């Protein structure tokens, strides 16, 4: 705001009011908001009130009011109009099936440096909603952050339970250097395990119900400069991220959750041969009397470990002859620890088509360790057995969207593992 200082502080009457600098707002609207009128005495108190009234709208970065003869000038610098809006997409992936997607992105809705974003994904077996508000000055000038809201519901056919969660998380961003940053956050969540299969493991039966959690966490991220286009950029890139969360500030859980992930891409030749890999490690553990439940534990399969069904690489409770027909009941429980590496060798079979990427892949991973005070219904198979798969794949970027598919040529699993040779994802925006 710019407050005027008059050489003659006595109130004056002006014949005209001229508005300058406005593009989105009409002259009359600006004058009406200011409260200033011609034919009435206007002094410093009225001018100050007018500047504050216009500034309070949040639509102006700067307001200046001054006189030019018998004309009073209101000069404004408008905040940028927000850009963006809704996007719609239709997709498919091997894990969730057909999915409809609505995306929201608004830049500068509440002034420069503010963003509202989110998306709604609706599939037969999974429905998720995420919204986030961020601002360059969320906490104070120069200290960015925001708040995230997530609502998720999962009812996969190959799981022995349904799961839903709602959580809200205000956070703060901190710069640690030109290539490193950190996030501090608080998270409050309510989750529920429901519709547990009646024949499922006693461990899972005991974990059914609602829980609340309240805790703090942080993330540290570092890496090289990001690639603008991973399919054609010849140079190397890498990123490293560590996440740590603790619950126990009230609520029903006292849990520690740690995750470490690394991504790297390195060219082999100048004509498109390259290697990319992603390595992930995770651990969850109780820090008090509470033990992690199935909603806290880790599962692999699907896109997380290609060649195997989503969520089926896991410690499991095997109850022989427990089914109604005398068959076995296999309950995937998830594990407190996991490790996985997914590596692609990019092979430029079609160098004249920059939107087409072909690769061969090799994945290896394991999930292990179940912490529970309840005895299993049968035999608990909880071993650090490594699964692996090998295959070929292709990704094709089109004006409609991105197609990606792979075929697992060979898998090396354990007893009761469920394989999935084909994987396909597609997303088209319109």
């Amino acid at each position: 705001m710019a407050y005027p200082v008059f050489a003659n502080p006595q109130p004056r009457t002006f014949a005209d009011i001229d508005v300058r600098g406005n593009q989105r707002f009409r002259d009359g609207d600006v004058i009406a908001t200011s409260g200033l009128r011609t034919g009435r005495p206007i002094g410093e108190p009225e001018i100050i009130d007018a500047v504050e009234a216009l500034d309070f709208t949040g639509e102006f970065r700067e307001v200046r009011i001054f006189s030019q003869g018998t004309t009073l000038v209101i000069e404004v610098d408008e905040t940028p109009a927000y850009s963006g809006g809704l996007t719609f997409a239709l997709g498919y992936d091997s894990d969730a099936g057909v999915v409809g997607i609505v995306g929201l992105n608004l830049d500068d809705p509440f002034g420069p440096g503010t963003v509202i974003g989110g998306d709604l994904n609706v599939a037969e077996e999974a429905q998720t909603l995420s919204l986030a508000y961020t601002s360059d000055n969320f906490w104070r000038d120069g200290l960015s952050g925001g708040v995230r809201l997530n609502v998720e519901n999962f009812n996969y056919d190959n799981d022995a339970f349904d799961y839903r969660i709602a959580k809200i998380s205000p956070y703060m961003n901190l710069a640690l250097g030109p290539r490193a940053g950190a996030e501090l956050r608080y998270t409050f969540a309510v989750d529920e395990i429901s519709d547990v299969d009646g024949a499922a493991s006693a461990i899972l039966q005991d974990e059914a119900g609602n829980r609340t959690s309240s805790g703090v966490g942080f993330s540290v991220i570092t890496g090289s400069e990001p690639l603008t286009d991973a399919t054609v950029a010849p140079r190397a890139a890498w990123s490293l991220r560590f996440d740590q969360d603790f619950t126990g500030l009230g609520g029903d859980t006292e849990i520690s959750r740690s995750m470490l992930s690394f991504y790297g891409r390195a060219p082999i030749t100048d004509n498109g041969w390259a290697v990319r890999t992603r390595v992930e490690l995770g651990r969850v553990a109780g820090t008090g009397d509470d033990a992690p439940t199935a909603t806290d534990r880790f599962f692999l399969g699907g896109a997380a470990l290609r060649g195997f069904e989503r969520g089926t690489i896991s410690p499991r409770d095997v109850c022989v002859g427990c089914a109604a027909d005398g068959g076995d009941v296999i309950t995937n429980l998830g594990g407190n620890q996991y490790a996985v590496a997914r590596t692609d060798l990019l092979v430029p079979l079609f160098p004249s088509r920059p939107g087409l990427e072909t690769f061969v892949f090799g994945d290896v991973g394991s999930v292990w360790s179940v912490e529970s005070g309840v005895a299993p219904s049968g035999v608990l198979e909880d071993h650090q057995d490594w699964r692996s798969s090998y295959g070929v794949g292709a990704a094709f970027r089109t004006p409609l969207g991105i197609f990606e598919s792979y075929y697992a040529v060979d898998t090396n699993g354990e007893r009761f593992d469920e394989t999935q040779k084909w994987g396909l994802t597609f997303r088209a925006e319109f």
Side-chain angles (χ1 to χ4, degrees):
M1 295 184 294
Y3 295 105
V5 176
F6 295 118
N8 182 359
Q10 296 301 317
R12 295 175 53 191
T13 300
F14 294 90
D16 296 295
I17 298 178
D18 184 19
V19 180
R20 301 176 185 176
N22 54 313
Q23 296 179 353
R24 293 188 288 122
F25 300 97
R26 297 180 301 173
D27 291 0
D29 293 335
V30 175
I31 294 172
T33 303
S34 73
L36 301 173
R37 299 289 185 272
T38 58
R40 298 180 181 177
I42 298 175
E44 283 194 18
E46 289 79 18
I47 297 293
I48 291 173
D49 288 345
V51 171
E52 291 181 342
L54 290 168
D55 182 72
F56 183 75
T57 67
E59 301 291 353
F60 307 102
R61 288 186 293 196
E62 190 73 20
V63 178
R64 295 171 293 276
I65 300 179
F66 54 91
S67 62
Q68 288 185 341
T70 60
T71 298
L72 184 68
V73 179
I74 303 177
E75 187 175 75
V76 296
D77 183 8
E78 295 177 341
T79 57
Y82 71 82
S83 61
L86 293 175
T87 59
F88 300 89
L90 184 66
Y92 174 85
D93 72 62
S94 305
D95 294 346
V98 178
V99 56
I101 305 160
V102 179
L104 172 67
N105 185 74
L106 298 176
D107 294 324
D108 303 321
F110 301 111
T114 63
V115 177
I116 295 176
D119 56 70
L120 171 67
N121 292 259
V122 179
E124 182 179 359
E125 300 179 55
Q127 304 83 41
T128 63
L129 170 66
S130 63
L131 289 172
Y133 170 75
T134 61
S135 171
D136 291 343
N137 304 294
F138 186 81
W139 299 102
R140 59 177 177 80
D141 289 346
L143 189 56
S144 67
V147 61
R148 289 187 290 259
L149 172 67
N150 295 86
V151 180
E152 303 172 351
N153 182 66
F154 302 102
N155 51 354
Y156 288 107
D157 287 341
N158 65 346
D159 282 344
F161 63 97
D162 293 345
Y163 165 50
R164 60 184 58 90
I165 184 171
K167 56 186 175 181
I168 187 169
S169 181
Y171 64 93
M172 177 188 303
N173 294 322
L174 301 173
L176 302 179
R179 296 184 180 181
E183 175 186 290
L184 305 178
R185 58 182 170 269
Y186 165 81
T187 302
F188 177 80
V190 179
D191 67 59
E192 178 186 18
I193 295 176
S194 63
D195 296 327
V196 178
D197 190 312
S201 169
I203 294 175
L204 195 57
Q205 301 284 354
D206 182 69
E207 294 172 350
N210 295 294
R211 298 183 312 160
T212 61
S213 62
S214 173
V216 295
F218 67 89
S219 300
V220 179
I221 307 102
T222 186
S224 63
E225 294 295 325
L227 290 173
T228 56
D229 189 338
T231 64
V232 297
R235 58 191 176 86
W238 64 273
S239 64
L240 182 67
R241 175 174 182 141
F242 177 70
D243 299 279
Q244 177 65 62
D245 288 276
F246 299 96
T247 66
L249 302 178
D252 304 321
T253 66
E254 296 182 31
I255 299 294
S256 167
R257 184 182 183 91
S258 310
M259 294 188 66
L260 178 68
S261 62
F262 169 82
Y263 170 80
R265 184 183 189 277
I268 299 176
T269 67
D270 293 335
N271 62 351
W273 288 79
V275 173
R276 65 186 176 198
T277 187
R278 183 178 296 277
V279 179
E280 298 176 7
L281 308 171
R283 181 178 184 272
V284 62
T287 57
D289 296 331
D290 299 316
T293 69
T295 58
D296 304 310
R297 295 190 291 262
F298 302 104
F299 298 79
L300 286 177
L305 184 60
R306 291 168 289 190
F308 299 90
E309 285 276 359
R310 184 216 64 85
T312 61
I313 303 304
S314 156
R316 49 180 65 105
D317 186 351
V318 180
C319 190
V320 177
C322 293
D325 59 1
D328 301 338
V329 175
I330 313 299
T331 306
N332 293 309
L333 299 171
N336 291 359
Q337 300 181 65
Y338 88 105
V340 64
R342 299 183 291 272
T343 302
D344 299 337
L345 172 64
L346 305 184
V347 182
L349 295 180
F350 305 96
S352 61
R353 301 294 300 271
L356 178 59
E357 180 181 80
T358 52
F359 57 89
V360 296
F361 72 84
D363 292 359
V364 60
S366 180
V367 188
W368 66 96
S369 182
V370 176
E371 179 185 347
S372 176
V374 177
S377 299
V379 177
L380 182 62
E381 294 194 351
D382 183 8
H383 312 289
Q384 192 177 352
D385 296 320
W386 295 92
R387 281 79 161 185
S388 61
S389 63
Y390 312 90
V392 296
F396 188 36
R397 287 165 171 78
T398 74
L400 287 177
I402 301 176
F403 296 81
E404 182 169 352
S405 181
Y406 66 84
Y407 178 75
V409 177
D410 187 31
T411 59
N412 179 22
E414 298 294 326
R415 187 173 66 141
F416 303 120
D417 286 352
E418 299 179 34
T419 60
Q420 177 182 285
K421 293 292 186 179
W422 284 101
L424 175 66
T425 60
F426 166 66
R427 173 170 174 160
E429 291 190 359
F430 51 90

